[in-house]
Amino acid sequence: MGMAHVKVADELCTVSLPAALLGERWTLLLLRQAFLGTRRFEDFQTAMDISRSVLTERLGTLVEEGILRREAYKEVRTRYEYRLTEKGLDLYPVLMALRKWGDKWMSPDEGPSFDLHHRSCGGDVGVHVACEECGAELTARDVRVTPLRDPR
Amino acid sequence: MGMAHVKVADELCTVSLPAALLGERWTLLLLRQAFLGTRRFEDFQTAMDISRSVLTERLGTLVEEGILRREAYKEVRTRYEYRLTEKGLDLYPVLMALRKWGDKWMSPDEGPSFDLHHRSCGGDVGVHVACEECGAELTARDVRVTPLRDPR
DNA sequence: AGCTAGGGTTCGGAATCCGAACTCAAGGGG
DNA sequence: CCCCTTGAGTTCGGATTCCGAACCCTAGCT
């Protein structure tokens, strides 16, 4: 149990730790599904067509990591829900960035299967990497990387 | 060969396709390494401590997917480089979003191992999900999801 | 009493992953 | 000329992980 290939990330970098977690089969899909509103074991299982044992395991690590929270609803006949915690909701930019990229580079011919719009004004949803200081949009080339420690 | 668990993604959604690709062991790590400037087989191998056979395979699918391009440099004694294509460079927001999240939620005690700054003005790098229309910063709750087709 | 629903667990076989050793081609040094 | 090293992979047997299908348990329903 626990995050599967932590070893992968023992070079303490703030990309590699999440990457070890999210770069596990099913995890990203599971999160997407959670953001779409899925909450119950059975619903995840049928929506993603994942094997039940692996689903149990993935939900488990996500709960351990504090990204999902498992809570009972319906006290009378206990049933459980897996809901995104604040930590989990904070992954929204990751999923949106992924979607933007998918729209541009891997879009099936029929186009995306969902439209996303700002609830209050109807505008498109954008994801931007920008300088907090001057506001310029940044690409990898515009960014200087300064190692702070030996990165492994 | 080919993208490993495409089956996972056959519900044509622009998150699930990239998620199937990037949610494969090592792939995110490999991309992070590529953005840090690693280009050669040996360097990836020692930097990530990945098994050579799996590295061969991952580099292969990434090339197939057009995210990396394999090209010879040094014609005299042929050696190869794997470099990010435009499609690959476009994944920058995904990695940055991941890093932001890692900084906030999984940062090791010593803090991140790199600093990133806007090359020209020194400002911090930000990642934002915002409405293209009104500019408001958006969370999952502010976004309406409209299914366009049956999503599976 | 028997049936169904929700949420898992168990299990054997299939697919992946891992580390270590091996390959092959081309310089370089002596 | 012969041996050593480098870069970039392959190959292979054993260890992990994944998968599908079947099974389990509890409560309510009829």
Side-chain angles (χ1 to χ4, degrees), chain B residues 7 40-42 52-53 56 70 77 79-80 82:
Chain B
K7 200 191 68 193
R40 295 184 319 189
F41 189 93
E42 296 294 318
R52 306 173 73 75
S53 43
T56 302
R70 179 180 188 265
R77 160 115 199 244
R79 274 309 92 115
Y80 300 98
Y82 294 88

Side-chain angles (χ1 to χ4, degrees), chain A residues 75-150:
Chain A
E75 312 177 358
V76 49
R77 160 113 199 245
T78 322
R79 277 304 95 114
Y80 299 100
E81 279 190 330
Y82 293 90
R83 319 193 48 164
L84 289 160
T85 60
E86 197 201 332
K87 183 173 172 181
L89 287 167
D90 253 11
L91 280 168
Y92 199 58
V94 176
L95 276 289
M96 283 301 109
L98 215 50
R99 183 191 126 95
K100 273 286 173 197
W101 186 83
D103 274 5
K104 179 167 176 186
W105 294 102
M106 304 192 86
S107 188
D109 300 340
E110 319 87 284
S113 40
F114 300 101
D115 259 352
L116 303 187
H117 290 288
H118 184 188
R119 208 179 279 283
S120 67
C121 84
D124 271 342
V125 178
V127 177
H128 299 281
V129 177
C131 175
E132 303 280 32
E133 205 70 32
C134 69
E137 184 114 15
L138 304 178
T139 70
R141 277 195 208 69
D142 306 314
V143 175
R144 184 171 358 115
V145 179
T146 319
L148 295 179
R149 298 190 306 280
D150 183 24

Side-chain angles (χ1 to χ4, degrees), chain B residues 72-118:
Chain B
Y73 67 105
K74 280 216 327 178
E75 311 177 0
V76 49
R77 160 115 199 244
T78 322
R79 274 309 92 115
Y80 300 98
E81 277 190 332
Y82 294 88
R83 319 195 48 164
L84 289 160
T85 60
E86 198 199 331
K87 182 172 174 183
L89 287 167
D90 254 9
L91 280 167
Y92 198 59
V94 176
L95 275 290
M96 284 300 109
L98 215 51
R99 183 192 128 94
K100 273 286 170 198
W101 185 84
D103 275 4
K104 179 166 177 187
W105 294 103
M106 304 193 87
S107 187
D109 301 341
E110 318 88 281
S113 40
F114 300 101
D115 260 352
L116 303 187
H117 291 288
H118 184 186

